[in-house]
Amino acid sequence: METAERARTLNEIRLLVLAAQREGSRRLGHALKQSGITPAQSEVLEVLSGGEHLTLAEVGRRLVCEAGSPSRLVESLVKAGLVARTPSPTDRRTVLLAITPEGRAKLAELSQSAGPLLDLMGSQLDQHEARALADLLRRLLKGTPGAAAVAARFPAARSRVD
């Protein structure tokens, strides 16, 4: 009987994670709609906002939203003037991506749009609960590409779980 209860609980967790992801994506998509940027495009801007010049592959490894190559996503941001491509100073065959000043301005605008979603999450969980949930989700996802993408963007948090 204990095994059946465990399976039921694990299935409930799976569905709760899926429901939280869908609700978060729906709300974020709605919040960003007026900006003309998708949640996936906003994630690319967030990845590049650290000031590093990254290759397309490096950007791809840091994305949670995009499972494959983010080339189309990046191309749309380049066309919009939010991301720039520059040749690598050390290898002319390599192209580096960087956020433009227009991209930084758009990201600031997006931050304002997404604020209510983060406020809602913050109203449901205090800091201790939020940290505990983040740590549990890291542990649950350990060894997955999604966990690696999150760890690349939040390296200090990684050390608490490893």
Side-chain angles (χ1 to χ4, degrees), residues 69-86:
S69 170
S71 56
R72 276 185 280 196
L73 253 172
V74 168
E75 182 60 30
S76 66
L77 293 168
V78 169
K79 284 181 181 176
L82 305 175
V83 170
R85 288 190 187 104
T86 57

Side-chain angles (χ1 to χ4, degrees), residues 108-145:
E109 176 189 324
L110 300 176
S111 248
Q112 294 287 326
S113 298
L117 176 59
L118 297 178
D119 291 344
L120 174 65
M121 290 168 51
S123 72
Q124 302 297 317
L125 301 171
D126 65 29
Q127 179 61 29
H128 176 74
E129 292 168 327
R131 184 73 270 142
L133 178 58
D135 289 345
L136 287 169
L137 288 170
R138 274 182 184 281
R139 201 163 97 202
L140 185 65
L141 295 170
K142 189 173 184 176
T144 67

Side-chain angles (χ1 to χ4, degrees), residues 24-61:
S25 290
R26 185 186 67 76
R27 287 180 185 233
L28 183 60
H30 180 73
L32 299 180
K33 192 171 188 148
Q34 289 184 339
S35 70
I37 296 288
T38 67
Q41 290 170 324
S42 74
E43 188 179 8
V44 172
L45 293 176
E46 287 176 25
V47 165
L48 292 172
S49 70
E52 292 178 88
H53 288 66
L54 302 173
T55 65
L56 185 63
E58 289 168 331
V59 169
R61 282 191 291 275

Side-chain angles (χ1 to χ4, degrees), residues 7-21 140:
R8 187 178 180 323
T9 299
L10 294 174
N11 196 41
E12 181 182 14
I13 291 168
R14 180 185 67 80
L15 292 173
L16 286 167
V17 168
L18 179 61
Q21 183 273 327
L140 185 65

